[in-house]
Structures are given as structure tokens and as C-alpha cells.
Amino acid sequence: MKSRFEELYKTKISPELKKDLTLKNIMEVPRINKIVINTGVKEAAADSKVLQGVKEIIEGIAGQAAVKTKAHKSIASFKLREGSAIGIMVTLRGKRMYDFLDKLINLALPCVRDFQGVSIKFDGSGNYNLGIKDWMIFPEVDYDKVDKSRGLNITVHTSTRNDEHARALLKAFNMPFRLS
């Protein structure tokens, strides 16, 4: 069974983008390849139980298993050793990716206090990074089980190298971009 956003992309968005961007081939139409959710946990260097709690919450938000990310090098001033687990990451593809994007755009972002829209800046390679200051905007987060409010980084990787094409793709999914 396809997700709602996947069906929308295949039936409506893809043909419209081909026409609007004046692309010759349907394979040139930008699409979303993957979504990566990432968070750093600085307290994990001192207490590994904190990391396990964060991992469970990220898995609830994403709907699939997350992995622990490790430090690449030691930094004495941060009391960090090479190889110690300091973050959580999950990569979404396929149906889960579209379901998460639907939840992000239609449920989570409208819950942000004083929401003015998300930034229109892309990374120059057609990918979009979105920083969320508080993960409590997601409905899966249980307030009673959370010890501390944390932030997330969400990266949407697209198949295009053109920022304008990627922006048109996300705008077609009704991503609430800031006006200026």
C-alpha cells in the first residue's frame, strides 16, 4: 500500500513539475531520495543511559530503528573520546519517508510556536536542511518520558542538483516556506 504523499507525487506532482520546469524526460523530474533525521546528545559522553532514551524517542518519531553515531576524533575540552557514542541518526526511504514528510508538513510544523515558515535556503546541491529546536512538536513524543527537550536536524536529499528544482518539488508538497 502506498502512502498518501507517494500517491500524490506519482499522480499529480511529477507530471506538473515536468511541465512547469520544461523537462524533456520524466526521469529528469526531481524526487526525494531519502530523509535523514539526526540529533546530537552531548550528555552521552558522561551517561550512556541518556542516549538510549533519546534513541527510543527518535525511533518513535521515525517509525524505524535508529543507529548510534560515534565521535570521529577525541576532543579533550569536550571530554570526548574517539569512538564514543554521541548521537542518534535514522535514514528513511520509501513509504516511511513519505509518511514522515506528510507528518512533518501537516502535523508537526503547524505545532511550532510563532511559526513563520521554514527557511528557503538550500545547500547548493539540491538538498534541504531543516533544524527543529524542540522535538515536542511530534505527536509520538510522550511528555512524561522525556527528561529534556532536544533539537533535531532533518535533511531531505533530492535527486536533482538544482536548488530551484528542489524548491519547486518541496513547494509542490506544500512545504511552508518563509515569504522572504
Side-chain angles (χ1 to χ4, degrees):
M1 188 171 136
K2 293 182 182 175
S3 73
R4 187 172 71 116
F5 264 33
E6 187 175 9
E7 193 68 37
L8 178 70
Y9 174 76
K10 289 185 178 178
T11 59
K12 186 179 176 206
I13 294 174
S14 180
E16 285 180 8
L17 282 177
K18 181 181 177 208
K19 186 177 125 193
D20 293 344
L21 301 174
T22 61
L23 301 173
K24 297 174 186 164
N25 191 339
I26 194 71
M27 297 305 287
E28 290 179 300
V29 176
R31 64 186 174 284
I32 299 173
N33 290 335
K34 65 182 176 179
I35 295 177
V36 179
I37 305 167
N38 184 20
T39 186
V41 186
K42 64 182 177 184
E43 295 90 12
D47 186 13
S48 63
K49 292 177 188 168
V50 174
L51 196 64
Q52 187 59 36
V54 171
K55 184 178 179 197
E56 290 171 8
I57 292 170
I58 295 294
E59 287 174 350
I61 291 171
Q64 78 179 36
V67 295
K68 295 177 182 177
T69 56
K70 300 185 188 281
H72 292 290
K73 62 187 213 181
S74 300
I75 303 173
S77 60
F78 293 138
K79 298 179 183 172
L80 186 64
R81 294 181 185 232
E82 183 178 347
S84 60
I86 55 165
I88 300 292
M89 180 189 80
V90 63
T91 302
L92 302 172
R93 290 185 170 90
K95 183 181 182 315
R96 286 195 180 118
M97 171 186 70
Y98 285 110
D99 288 340
F100 177 78
L101 188 65
D102 187 9
K103 178 173 48 174
L104 176 71
I105 292 171
N106 295 315
L107 287 176
L109 288 178
C111 293
V112 175
R113 182 181 296 174
D114 299 329
F115 185 65
Q116 301 293 318
V118 295
S119 172
I120 59 170
K121 293 182 182 176
F122 282 71
D123 69 350
S125 299
N127 302 318
Y128 184 68
N129 286 297
L130 174 65
I132 294 180
K133 293 180 183 174
D134 187 9
W135 66 8
M136 297 289 190
I137 62 172
F138 289 98
E140 294 85 6
V141 179
D142 186 11
Y143 293 100
D144 299 331
K145 294 183 180 178
V146 175
D147 60 337
K148 179 180 167 185
S149 178
R150 299 186 191 280
L152 296 172
N153 181 35
I154 299 169
T155 305
V156 180
H157 293 270
T158 63
S159 64
T160 183
R161 295 279 173 226
N162 187 336
D163 286 350
E164 293 305 317
H165 290 191
R167 188 174 294 114
L169 172 66
L170 290 179
K171 197 171 269 201
F173 279 116
N174 291 327
M175 179 68 85
F177 288 115
R178 223 176 274 141
L179 295 176
S180 58

